[in-house]
Amino acid sequence: MPQGEITLLLTKWKNGEVDAFEQLVPLVYSGLRQIASSYIRRERDPGVMQATSLVHELYLRLLNQKKADWGDRAHFYTFSAKVMRMILIDHARGSQAQRRGGKAEHIP
């Protein structure tokens, strides 16, 4: 796969071509899964989430991205990695909240 193809699709997506995102996903999926696997391995409890689930959650967040403004593939991968990290942090916060009673009503 030529590196320029990803950048071209990112530019098309930035310019509002919805089909560009659908064409982009298969090209970047394996790279995103590698990043996700790397993050999962570094977690305290690696069994909490699988790399595939993390990439799929990222996909949903990217799909809802209102302003996709990536200059090149490196910028896209960096942004995606940061979003994955935020997903893991949100997931950990949710788990911790459940341990502390979640949404149960607190009585003084």
Side-chain angles (χ1 to χ4, degrees), residues 66-79:
K66 299 294 183 220
K67 186 178 179 188
D69 190 13
W70 298 289
D72 58 11
R73 64 191 292 257
H75 189 198
F76 171 76
Y77 279 117
T78 301
F79 176 82

Side-chain angles (χ1 to χ4, degrees), residues 50-66:
Q50 295 180 350
T52 303
S53 300
L54 183 54
V55 173
H56 290 187
E57 180 66 30
L58 170 70
Y59 172 85
L60 293 174
R61 293 202 185 181
L62 290 175
L63 194 60
N64 292 325
Q65 192 72 22
K66 299 294 183 220

Side-chain angles (χ1 to χ4, degrees), residues 4-103:
E5 187 175 356
I6 292 173
T7 303
L8 178 65
L9 288 171
L10 288 169
T11 302
K12 287 181 178 181
W13 182 21
K14 174 181 166 181
N15 293 332
E17 291 184 38
V18 181
D19 293 343
F21 179 69
E22 296 302 322
Q23 293 172 14
L24 176 70
V25 171
L27 297 176
V28 298
Y29 186 84
S30 64
L32 293 174
R33 195 161 187 305
Q34 287 176 345
I35 294 168
S37 294
S38 173
Y39 276 134
I40 298 286
R41 279 193 305 273
R42 289 187 248 158
E43 286 294 304
R44 268 189 205 162
D45 183 10
V48 171
M49 185 179 272
Q50 295 180 350
T52 303
S53 300
L54 183 54
V55 173
H56 290 187
E57 180 66 30
L58 170 70
Y59 172 85
L60 293 174
R61 293 202 185 181
L62 290 175
L63 194 60
N64 292 325
Q65 192 72 22
K66 299 294 183 220
K67 186 178 179 188
D69 190 13
W70 298 289
D72 58 11
R73 64 191 292 257
H75 189 198
F76 171 76
Y77 279 117
T78 301
F79 176 82
S80 296
K82 286 181 181 180
V83 171
M84 282 188 225
R85 190 72 197 131
M86 288 189 292
I87 291 168
L88 287 171
I89 290 169
D90 290 344
H91 193 276
R93 284 182 182 150
S95 312
Q96 291 297 322
Q98 287 298 330
R99 289 184 191 144
R100 291 188 307 268
K103 295 183 180 183

